Amino acid sequence: MGSRGSHAAVIPDLDAIRRETGFSQASLLRLYHRFRALDRNKKGYLSRMDLQQIGALAVNPLGDRIIGSFFPDGSQGVDFAGFVRVLAHFRPVDDEEIGNRDPKQPEPLNSRMNKLRFAFQLYDLDRDGMISRLELLQVLRLMVGVQVTEEQLESITDRTVQEADEDGDGAVSFLEFTKSLEKMDIEQKMSIRILK
């Protein structure tokens, strides 16, 4: 018959992953099955090509950037723990979690600040801690495709950098990025529901 508990035993370091990511055991089990389905060659890790099988990423203009976030150190594969660590950024924030958080514990991966850090790195192509005008232009090109003229795109880019760039250095720092998005409900906009 096999209960959920017996299936959970196959997930390496389940308790540590659950604590770090905040995912329930049932969600981790679902994600583990998805991980194994994506790992067609049963290597025990996922490559960029494995992640490109995910339909939603294949059609997302930032799909390659999102896939790249699974390989921050340039590695060629991501194990299950790394896979769910990235997905945890998209876990919805529960009001209950916020009130019960132990301030001595690390900030949850799905916190507003960590969601913003994740979004920032999608734009910071050279990982220098700044979003330059050129980087923003490149990402916007990916997002809008041919729907907007190059002139319109450059105008949008210039205006965006000008509005966010408080210190006048021509680029957007992480602090400036967070300030420019302070009114946006990032906690919900960067959430994917994984059934419990």
Side-chain angles (χ1 to χ4, degrees), residues 93-101:
V93 177
D94 293 331
D95 293 336
E96 184 180 301
E97 268 180 90
I98 296 168
N100 293 336
R101 190 168 104 63

Side-chain angles (χ1 to χ4, degrees), residues 1-127:
M1 284 220 149
S3 69
R4 279 203 189 276
S6 65
H7 291 298
V10 299
I11 300 175
D13 302 319
L14 175 69
D15 286 333
I17 293 170
R18 191 175 44 72
R19 280 190 306 276
E20 182 182 2
T21 64
F23 283 121
S24 68
Q25 184 171 314
S27 292
L28 285 171
L29 189 58
R30 259 187 219 72
L31 289 170
Y32 188 68
H33 288 299
R34 180 67 170 141
F35 177 86
R36 292 188 57 200
L38 289 169
D39 180 16
R40 285 195 252 165
N41 297 327
K42 309 298 177 231
K43 306 173 298 289
Y45 65 89
L46 299 178
S47 66
R48 287 178 182 270
M49 224 170 5
D50 293 326
L51 292 171
Q52 289 167 343
Q53 297 174 61
I54 301 171
L57 287 177
V59 298
N60 186 320
L62 294 178
D64 282 340
R65 299 288 308 142
I66 294 168
I67 289 171
S69 68
F70 285 89
F71 309 94
D73 57 0
S75 65
Q76 298 302 306
V78 62
D79 63 6
F80 179 69
F83 176 71
V84 294
R85 206 172 285 123
V86 171
L87 294 178
H89 290 90
F90 298 97
R91 192 172 63 77
V93 177
D94 293 331
D95 293 336
E96 184 180 301
E97 268 180 90
I98 296 168
N100 293 336
R101 190 168 104 63
D102 180 352
K104 293 178 190 141
Q105 293 298 315
E107 192 170 2
L109 293 173
N110 69 329
S111 70
R112 177 179 181 79
M113 198 53 69
N114 279 327
K115 285 177 185 278
L116 286 168
R117 279 187 193 99
F118 186 89
F120 183 83
Q121 58 95 27
L122 293 177
Y123 291 89
D124 182 15
L125 304 177
D126 63 7
R127 301 202 188 283

